[in-house]
Amino acid sequence: MALELVTGYWGMEHVTAEQDADLNAGIIGSGNYVLNIGEKMRAEAVSANQVRIFDGVFMAYGRQCILGDGEYEDITIENGTPGLLRNDMIVVKYKKDEESGKENATFAVLKGETGSVAKDPVPNKQDIRSGAFESEVPMYRVKINGLAIEKIEPLYSIPMTNDDLSNRVSELDYKRSIISTESSVEVNSNHNVVSRSGKIVYYKLQLTTKKEIKSGDKIAQFPNFAFPSESVPFFTIALAGSRLSRVVGNVRITGEVIVYDTIPLNANVVISGTYITNN
């Protein structure tokens, strides 16, 4: 086998369902999902032995199944037994014909055992990507109490869209502040910031020394929200004229920025980094 260009022109049809499924699974995941669109394949009991599934998109192993906008499908559940419990399972049943290779998917019901305690039936959830010719992917658990459908429980997850993720990031605890510096350095305020989003802290100091900085000197102070859980080391270069010199230091758990090398007068230094804090 050799590398194959999928999204490219060959002069013939060549993209397969397997390749499309791999792309879906790589982006969304290979589990069983209902996408966040339309009615999201919600289910409701319309009678004592019938469940209606509304429009949406179901995906498993990257394979996409759809009920179009405004469509629905009714699924028959076998009647329950008075005074007893039963769990049935609505699955998406995948089949592939071994001779022709044709594939299809349908809703099916796996009947559970009737008794004083309800137990789930076991679906034949085989890996389609590995070549399975049949697979039963769980979608809903239907809890039957006596003659009534008591509850319908989803057995899939709904992945977040890119919009969902963007909104979630913007809702994170975001803080930003100018870094306080000592009189021994002069800073460019546009490059003198520390910010925190969730537990991630990013900082950048762009400064020029106004006097020689000695080993152990403090040059800046971070605000409380940016205190690290443990000392965070940094390494950078100081440029004084044509002379380069090494600068190492750390951000202490008290927020103090300390250097451990001598930095000459009028040296330009950029210190930046990212760390995770539990404070």
Side-chain angles (χ1 to χ4, degrees):
M1 300 297 290
L3 181 67
E4 180 178 318
L5 177 64
V6 177
T7 50
Y9 178 65
W10 286 19
M12 58 182 287
E13 294 181 355
H14 66 94
V15 179
T16 67
E18 289 84 357
Q19 291 166 338
D20 199 39
D22 280 350
L23 178 62
N24 291 335
I27 295 172
I28 297 174
S30 58
N32 42 326
Y33 305 97
V34 167
L35 303 189
N36 189 14
I37 190 167
E39 291 275 1
K40 298 189 281 288
M41 284 198 164
R42 68 179 177 87
E44 68 176 43
V46 293
S47 71
N49 66 341
Q50 199 168 65
V51 172
R52 179 168 294 175
I53 298 181
F54 292 85
D55 66 80
V57 179
F58 182 81
M59 189 172 289
Y61 301 105
R63 301 304 184 100
Q64 178 185 348
C65 307
I66 186 169
L67 277 173
D69 183 33
E71 296 179 0
Y72 62 84
E73 185 166 340
D74 289 337
I75 299 167
T76 299
I77 305 294
E78 188 174 315
N79 287 331
T81 303
L84 296 176
L85 305 175
R86 192 178 85 226
N87 283 354
D88 285 359
M89 186 177 292
I90 297 174
V91 300
V92 173
K93 189 167 187 174
Y94 163 90
K95 280 188 175 182
K96 180 177 183 179
D97 185 272
E98 296 188 36
E99 293 184 4
S100 67
K102 291 183 179 180
E103 302 166 290
N104 66 43
T106 57
F107 290 120
V109 178
L110 304 183
K111 182 183 174 183
E113 293 183 10
T114 300
S116 57
V117 177
K119 295 180 180 179
D120 287 346
V122 180
N124 169 26
K125 190 178 180 183
Q126 299 298 311
D127 188 349
I128 297 172
R129 190 174 191 272
S130 297
F133 290 98
E134 184 175 309
S135 185
E136 296 167 339
V137 183
M139 190 174 187
Y140 284 105
R141 176 188 295 113
V142 182
K143 299 178 75 69
I144 301 163
N145 188 343
L147 297 175
I149 294 176
E150 185 176 55
K151 193 174 184 182
I152 303 173
E153 299 175 337
L155 300 174
Y156 55 79
S157 57
I158 299 178
M160 287 190 291
T161 64
N162 285 339
D163 285 343
D164 294 333
L165 291 170
S166 296
N167 292 335
R168 185 67 57 87
V169 168
S170 67
E171 292 169 1
L172 290 174
D173 182 19
Y174 180 79
K175 297 182 176 68
R176 186 176 185 274
S177 176
I178 300 298
I179 300 172
S180 174
T181 54
E182 299 298 302
S183 60
S184 56
V185 299
E186 181 179 5
V187 298
N188 180 337
S189 60
N190 292 326
H191 301 282
N192 177 36
V193 295
V194 59
S195 60
R196 175 173 176 170
S197 181
K199 293 184 176 183
I200 300 174
V201 176
Y202 168 78
Y203 66 93
K204 183 173 183 180
L205 268 168
Q206 184 171 315
L207 55 89
T208 302
T209 56
K210 297 168 67 175
K211 69 175 186 178
E212 183 181 77
I213 307 296
K214 299 184 182 300
S215 175
D217 281 357
K218 173 183 175 181
I219 60 171
Q221 175 67 48
F222 284 6
N224 290 355
F225 72 77
F227 283 6
S229 305
E230 56 185 26
S231 292
V232 178
F234 60 79
F235 172 86
T236 188
I237 299 294
L239 175 62
S242 60
R243 178 187 169 196
L244 294 174
S245 58
R246 181 195 72 170
V247 178
V248 297
N250 65 18
V251 182
R252 294 181 174 175
I253 61 173
T254 55
E256 296 173 298
V257 181
I258 307 295
V259 296
Y260 297 109
D261 286 295
T262 299
I263 307 176
L265 173 67
N266 293 326
N268 294 312
V269 182
V270 177
I271 303 170
S272 64
T274 303
Y275 57 87
I276 296 175
T277 180
N278 291 316
N279 291 331

